Amino acid sequence: MIGAADILRAQVLVVDDSPVNVLLLERMLGAAGYSAVSSTTDPRAVCGLYREHRHDLILLDLKMPGMDGFEVMQGLSEIETEGYLPVLVLTAEPGHKLRALQAGAKDFISKPFDQVEVLTRIHNLLEVRLLLREARSYGQLLERYDPLTGLPNRVLCRELLTRALAASTGGATDVAVLCVAVDRLKDVNDALGRLGGDALLRSVRDRLVACLGPRDAAAHLEGGVFALVVTGAADAPRGAEAVATRVRAALQRPLQLEGAEVAVTASIGIAVSAVDATDAETLMKCADTALHEAKSAGRDHWRFYSEEMNARAREALAMENALRSALEHDEFVLHYQPKMRVVDGAWSGAEALIRWDRPGHGLCPPSAFVPVLEHSGLIVPVGSWVIRTACRQIAEWARCGLGFVRVAVNVSAQQFLRDGFVQEVAHALGDNGVPPEWLDIEITESCLMSRREQTDQVLRELKASGIRIAIDDFGTGYSSLSYLKRFPVDSLKLDISFVRDLATDPATAAIAVAILGMAHSLKLKVIAEGVETETQLEFLRRHACDEVQGYLCARPMPAAEWASVQAARA
Ligand code: C2E
Ligand code: MG
Ligand code: MG
């Protein structure tokens, strides 16, 4: 808000070649309470004065010898960078009023003056001017600060870093940037709600700021990613390491949020000036690359930037580009691995597993590219392709006399939670004339837990349409078992890590048996993944596991092989 006092403090410049008029206006303004009024009778001095003082209002006489008011306005508009001329013209000629307004003046006063009118017009114009200035500076504030934490944002962070680099004596390694990302912020947001997540970030901010020295700075770059600019350490890598250690220790103490205790960890990427880069932009990029490495090291880690990281990042980018065109060029294929019923050894269906026939690289397994698909969002179109292709394959096998084969497809969280997913599946089935009961969907435990309400809704719709749902890699995720009761799932896929050690590790065997018992009491089927030996199969049979999948039965195979292998078994 603009108060009366602000208006009276505003800077007003009076320009008139007549000293009498100047005196008159100055007296009038002084009597009204204005305290920052200056004047000149020389029109040629106006631009220089304005450049220096940026007056809030110029009372400008139009008719002056040497240089008239129009010329002054022309000069002012050339130096006015914000495109607003704070000019009130004084004129005795009615014909000049419109011309002055068109030239950019904001208002006019007719000579001879009416005191009340003059003061009212001045007051109103100043009010507009100050409001504009306030809005502008608020805008500038927003442009450079993050409203959530009040910390500098990325723009200001880059400026601070540039300044720190310039101040660092030539080539000395005395500036470090730490990119600090709160791990699993999305889960925190899901659990605490958006406001809770915001409160958490503010608590994290306080902890981070407390880790810094007086010459260091903190910024909030984007949701949950902070940058710490550490300056002045004699040995910057050591200094950065010390800050990273302090940050981890500071976050180890649980945060208090509305009575609840929340524990968070952070991943940290570090880059050091001169060693990694000499300019702010590159240095921040290096810290960000190191952050990615820290995250993929399993979070709650910190990493210094290295050249190899850069090479890896470049390779990931190249792969992302290659994946983008892979879909267009039809380079993906699905292989199918049978699932076998334990009681009678019959094949109960297949799991469709994607491979990428990458030119020059051969057949790549999903572990080599699915993470990149997920990271880049390409998993959405590729996932749609998988569903369409699997449905087409079911129809194809049926057409060539194999009957319907039940096929399970893996669906990632991003794909699953997108609007229209259920309709997309229905179309894929409908277009190929496949009844829904022949398609299974496998989603991982962490996918189920990520957005519970929405997940629940999608599952119910899928279920209602006749599609069956399996929880993949069961036992590796959040292990809050209560949700099993709640979500409408049909089966669990016991993760390969349990199956592998069944015969050798009693604790693993005990967990597997417990999962089997619990699943059965909830009327869920259990499919064991990665069964490779007769011993494992025997163990699973003894504990009433329903189905198995693994190399013991068959490796994933191209669709064309499926028919012959199945025929040979029959
Ligand atoms: P998953 O869904 O758990 O698939 C089972 C994985 O175990 C497959 O690996 C399969 O080849 C492997 N496997 C099967 N039997 C054995 C065995 O006896 N021993 C061992 N050691 N491994 C066995 P694959 O094909 O490399 O797929 C890996 C993961 O990639 C899958 O795990 C799944 O999470 C993901 N994936 C595969 N295809 C797709 C897809 O179309 N979309 C999505 N979103 N993810 C996919
Ligand atoms: Mg699977
Ligand atoms: Mg699995």
Side-chain angles (χ1 to χ4, degrees):
M1 260 315 288
I2 304 299
D6 298 316
I7 292 179
L8 293 176
R9 268 198 304 271
Q11 291 209 49
V12 182
L13 176 67
V14 178
V15 185
D16 200 313
D17 61 307
S18 141
V20 180
N21 277 347
V22 168
L23 197 66
L24 199 70
L25 283 163
E26 274 186 336
R27 287 252 172 92
M28 193 193 294
L29 287 163
Y34 287 91
S35 57
V37 181
S38 52
S39 60
T40 177
T41 49
D42 177 7
R44 276 172 298 261
V46 177
C47 284
L49 288 169
Y50 183 68
R51 197 179 277 122
E52 190 178 340
H53 300 286
R54 297 283 157 181
H55 306 89
D56 299 304
L57 187 62
I58 300 173
L59 304 183
L60 181 64
D61 183 20
L62 277 186
K63 212 165 141 212
M64 292 177 288
M67 185 179 187
D68 70 10
F70 292 107
E71 288 171 277
V72 174
M73 272 196 277
Q74 178 62 36
L76 285 173
S77 64
E78 277 161 22
I79 56 173
E80 173 49 60
T81 45
E82 296 184 348
Y84 179 95
L85 276 191
V87 172
L88 176 63
V89 296
L90 317 168
T91 177
E93 288 183 38
H96 280 169
K97 287 175 191 166
L98 182 62
R99 217 181 122 204
L101 292 177
Q102 284 167 339
K106 292 292 161 296
D107 203 353
F108 55 80
I109 302 169
S110 308
K111 292 180 179 176
F113 306 136
D114 172 305
Q115 255 215 43
V116 178
E117 186 192 332
V118 170
L119 287 174
T120 307
R121 287 186 194 268
I122 289 173
H123 175 276
N124 289 353
L125 275 184
L126 282 171
E127 190 174 45
V128 170
R129 171 65 169 176
L130 296 186
L131 272 171
L132 179 73
R133 183 164 286 174
E134 196 176 67
R136 283 232 166 93
S137 60
Y138 184 62
Q140 278 162 1
L141 202 74
L142 283 187
E143 269 167 31
R144 294 147 61 84
Y145 287 88
D146 159 49
L148 174 64
T149 58
L151 290 177
N153 63 11
R154 190 181 286 279
V155 176
L156 183 52
C157 179
R158 199 180 298 125
E159 280 177 31
L160 292 173
L161 187 55
T162 305
R163 247 179 274 162
L165 287 171
S168 84
T169 40
T173 60
D174 58 358
V175 182
V177 183
L178 288 81
C179 270
V180 181
V182 177
D183 293 330
R184 304 196 185 284
L185 183 64
K186 206 173 143 313
D187 295 337
V188 176
N189 277 335
D190 286 339
L192 302 177
R194 195 59 207 236
L195 291 179
D198 289 354
L200 176 112
L201 287 182
R202 284 190 282 264
S203 303
V204 169
R205 167 202 60 196
D206 295 343
R207 296 268 169 102
L208 291 180
V209 168
C211 295
L212 296 177
R215 295 173 58 189
D216 306 335
H220 187 221
L221 304 182
E222 65 200 23
V225 183
F226 294 85
L228 307 179
V229 177
V230 177
T231 42
D235 178 346
R238 278 271 184 75
E241 209 171 302
V243 172
T245 311
R246 283 206 291 278
V247 165
R248 291 191 59 206
L251 293 179
Q252 255 159 27
R253 285 176 287 123
L255 301 159
Q256 303 292 336
L257 285 181
E258 292 164 15
E261 286 204 336
V262 185
V264 293
T265 59
S267 302
I268 306 173
I270 308 169
V272 178
S273 70
V275 179
D276 299 325
T278 47
D279 67 288
E281 185 68 35
T282 317
L283 202 57
M284 283 176 72
K285 258 196 206 128
C286 292
D288 189 56
T289 305
L291 172 63
H292 278 287
E293 292 272 330
K295 279 186 186 165
S296 20
R299 301 168 202 274
D300 195 16
H301 279 70
W302 50 269
R303 286 282 181 272
F304 274 97
Y305 171 79
S306 72
E307 254 312 308
E308 298 89 81
M309 284 182 188
N310 204 5
R312 271 200 293 278
R314 266 202 301 269
E315 188 176 326
L317 194 66
M319 179 180 281
E320 192 179 316
N321 290 334
L323 281 167
R324 240 174 253 288
S325 71
L327 197 55
E328 273 167 54
H329 296 103
D330 223 9
E331 291 167 8
F332 293 114
V333 277
L334 291 184
H335 281 192
Y336 297 85
Q337 186 179 35
K339 296 178 183 176
M340 187 185 82
R341 259 202 314 262
V342 175
V343 282
D344 57 4
W347 285 9
S348 55
E351 176 173 8
L353 295 158
I354 195 168
R355 272 95 185 90
W356 176 23
D357 194 358
R358 186 178 185 187
H361 289 76
L363 212 57
C364 301
S367 57
F369 63 91
V370 167
V372 185
L373 290 178
E374 304 244 6
H375 183 73
S376 60
L378 283 167
I379 193 71
V380 173
V382 173
S384 305
W385 176 88
V386 169
I387 292 173
R388 275 183 280 115
T389 307
C391 288
R392 201 176 315 125
Q393 191 60 59
I394 300 172
E396 171 75 25
W397 279 329
R399 241 195 320 277
C400 56
L402 280 181
F404 278 117
V405 175
R406 184 187 312 289
V407 174
V409 289
N410 293 283
V411 170
S412 85
Q414 276 184 69
Q415 199 187 343
F416 183 82
L417 292 172
R418 255 174 85 96
D419 284 346
F421 174 70
V422 179
Q423 290 86 317
E424 182 187 315
V425 176
H427 278 141
L429 288 164
D431 291 348
N432 292 286
V434 174
E437 57 267 34
W438 297 101
L439 187 71
D440 288 5
I441 281 179
E442 295 188 5
I443 47 176
T444 59
E445 234 178 322
S446 48
C447 165
L448 271 187
M449 299 309 288
S450 66
R451 298 240 290 272
R452 288 179 225 189
E453 297 303 317
Q454 212 183 331
T455 305
D456 201 30
Q457 178 61 29
V458 180
L459 287 178
R460 276 174 210 291
E461 287 175 31
L462 288 170
K463 182 85 183 165
S465 73
I467 291 164
R468 290 197 284 187
I469 294 137
I471 302 181
D472 208 348
D473 303 345
F474 187 79
T476 57
Y478 278 78
S479 55
S480 147
L481 299 176
S482 56
Y483 70 79
L484 281 184
K485 205 172 57 190
R486 188 178 141 182
F487 289 130
V489 297
D490 300 276
S491 52
L492 305 184
K493 297 192 77 178
L494 185 63
D495 189 65
I496 189 166
S497 56
F498 295 103
V499 177
R500 195 186 300 122
D501 303 333
L502 270 186
T504 50
D505 178 24
T508 304
I511 297 173
V513 171
I515 291 177
L516 277 156
M518 179 201 59
H520 287 147
S521 68
L522 290 167
K523 308 242 171 337
L524 301 175
K525 277 196 186 172
V526 179
I527 301 152
E529 298 186 307
V531 177
E532 295 183 355
T533 68
E534 284 292 349
T535 323
Q536 291 165 343
L537 178 61
E538 194 39 48
F539 181 99
L540 292 161
R541 178 178 290 128
R542 262 206 322 280
H543 292 95
C545 181
D546 302 272
E547 294 176 21
V548 293
Q549 186 182 339
Y551 297 166
L552 179 65
C553 178
R555 288 188 177 249
M557 61 188 94
E561 250 174 60
W562 182 276
S564 53
V565 176
Q566 212 183 34
R569 282 174 53 89

